């Protein structure tokens, strides 16, 4: 998918790429930017949200009694799980990334690419667009698709 995206978006300019350090995101960034001189900088604040004791849980959409079901179906009602992050924690870390890294780059006129994960990406979009938590999943982010966020 990253190779197909590289071909599809080859005419789009980026000055810098920030990526989650997790393997799948970092490799996606490397494949997408292959043949360019765009630097890829990993930042821990772009890791996926932690789901604690539910990390790796399968078939959550068929288990309405799980808190993770609520996370996906009704995010405004999600209260976090043991060992996992809350929305407040997720928004704090991605918000600091936006304020400390992205906003200064944009102020300098740079075109910024962020490569990450579903919930992390949605948290950034919600903050940039000032969306309430009830609309957390509204952006409908697809894998290896560019999305202009402003």
């Amino acid at each position: 998918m990253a190779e197909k995206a590289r071909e599809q978006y080859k005419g789009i300019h980026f000055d810098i790429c920030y990526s989650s350090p997790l393997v799948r995101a970092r490799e996606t960034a490397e494949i997408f930017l292959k043949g360019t001189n765009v630097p890829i900088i990993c930042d821990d604040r772009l890791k996926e949200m932690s789901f604690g004791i539910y990390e790796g849980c399968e078939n959550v959409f068929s288990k309405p009694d799980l808190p993770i079901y609520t996370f996906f179906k009704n995010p405004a009602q999600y209260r976090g799980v043991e060992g996992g992050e809350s929305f407040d924690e997720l928004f704090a870390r991605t918000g600091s990334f936006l304020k400390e890294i992205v906003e200064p780059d944009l102020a300098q006129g740079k075109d910024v690419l962020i490569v990450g994960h579903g919930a992390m990406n949605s948290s950034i979009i919600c903050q940039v667009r000032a969306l309430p938590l009830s609309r957390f999943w509204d952006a409908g982010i697809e894998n290896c698709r560019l999305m202009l966020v402003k």
Side-chain angles (χ1 to χ4, degrees):
M1 288 191 328
E3 289 173 1
K4 183 178 176 182
R6 178 181 67 229
E7 193 60 32
Q8 180 179 359
Y9 300 115
K10 66 182 171 188
I12 298 177
H13 173 266
F14 294 103
D15 294 299
I16 193 160
C17 172
Y18 296 102
S19 173
S20 162
L22 301 180
V23 173
R24 186 177 59 161
R26 192 181 72 247
E27 286 179 353
T28 297
E30 290 168 356
I31 292 167
F32 183 80
L33 293 168
K34 184 178 179 182
T36 72
N37 292 322
V38 177
I40 300 170
I41 300 170
C42 292
D43 193 302
D44 283 345
R45 292 172 290 185
L46 299 178
K47 288 181 179 178
E48 180 59 298
M49 184 176 186
S50 171
F51 298 106
I53 62 172
Y54 292 98
E55 200 69 49
C57 186
E58 297 178 355
N59 304 313
V60 296
F61 295 113
S62 64
K63 301 174 183 176
D65 56 322
L66 292 181
I68 300 303
Y69 178 91
T70 303
F71 172 78
F72 286 105
K73 295 295 187 176
N74 191 0
Q77 299 302 313
Y78 181 71
R79 299 293 173 247
V81 295
E82 181 184 336
E85 280 182 286
S86 67
F87 275 118
D88 287 343
E89 291 166 323
L90 174 65
F91 277 67
R93 73 174 160 89
T94 57
S96 74
F97 172 77
L98 288 171
K99 285 178 183 58
E100 296 168 15
I101 304 295
V102 176
E103 289 176 8
D105 279 354
L106 294 176
Q108 293 176 20
K110 292 183 181 178
D111 295 320
V112 177
L113 174 65
I114 299 172
V115 179
H117 312 277
M120 185 283 303
N121 289 336
S122 289
S123 75
I124 287 176
I125 291 168
C126 282
Q127 291 174 79
V128 171
R129 294 183 178 167
L131 297 175
L133 198 51
S134 61
R135 297 189 53 207
F136 187 75
W137 297 112
D138 284 7
I141 303 167
E142 298 178 45
N143 289 337
C144 292
R145 294 286 178 131
L146 290 183
M147 176 180 284
L148 179 63
V149 180
K150 51 181 172 174

